[in-house]
Amino acid sequence: MPFPELIGYAAATLTTAAFVPQAWLVWRTRRADSVSLGMYSMFTLGVAFWLIYGILLGSWPMIAANSVTLLLAVFILAMKIRHG
């Protein structure tokens, strides 16, 4: 595997894994009052654009990371809207 690809997968793994504790906390407590609706709305849209960009480039690290991150971000955003 080329070095840039390896760096891409490492970055994708770390940035995606960073969302797991927040998603787990929101799931476990059913509370999202400390989550900013504006920030998560913009972030979720940004991740969707990064996913589209990764698809257009054919970059598997970007596609994989942003697919998972988008799912986690949409989950947190939905919990914020539902549970405030």
Side-chain angles (χ1 to χ4, degrees), residues 39-74:
M39 180 272 191
Y40 257 87
S41 297
M42 290 190 300
F43 177 79
T44 303
L45 183 59
V47 172
F49 285 150
W50 275 115
L51 175 58
I52 293 166
Y53 183 62
I55 291 168
L56 293 172
L57 292 178
S59 172
W60 285 106
M62 288 179 70
I63 294 168
N66 287 301
S67 294
V68 174
T69 303
L70 184 59
L71 289 174
L72 292 170
V74 166

Side-chain angles (χ1 to χ4, degrees), residues 18-37 39-40 71-84:
F19 278 86
V20 174
Q22 182 70 55
W24 177 250
L25 180 66
V26 170
W27 172 264
R28 189 172 48 84
T29 63
R30 298 286 192 256
R31 294 192 61 189
D33 50 330
S34 64
V35 173
S36 167
L37 180 60
M39 180 272 191
Y40 257 87
L71 289 174
L72 292 170
V74 166
F75 167 74
I76 293 169
L77 186 59
M79 293 295 282
K80 173 64 177 176
I81 291 167
R82 184 171 181 192
H83 297 288

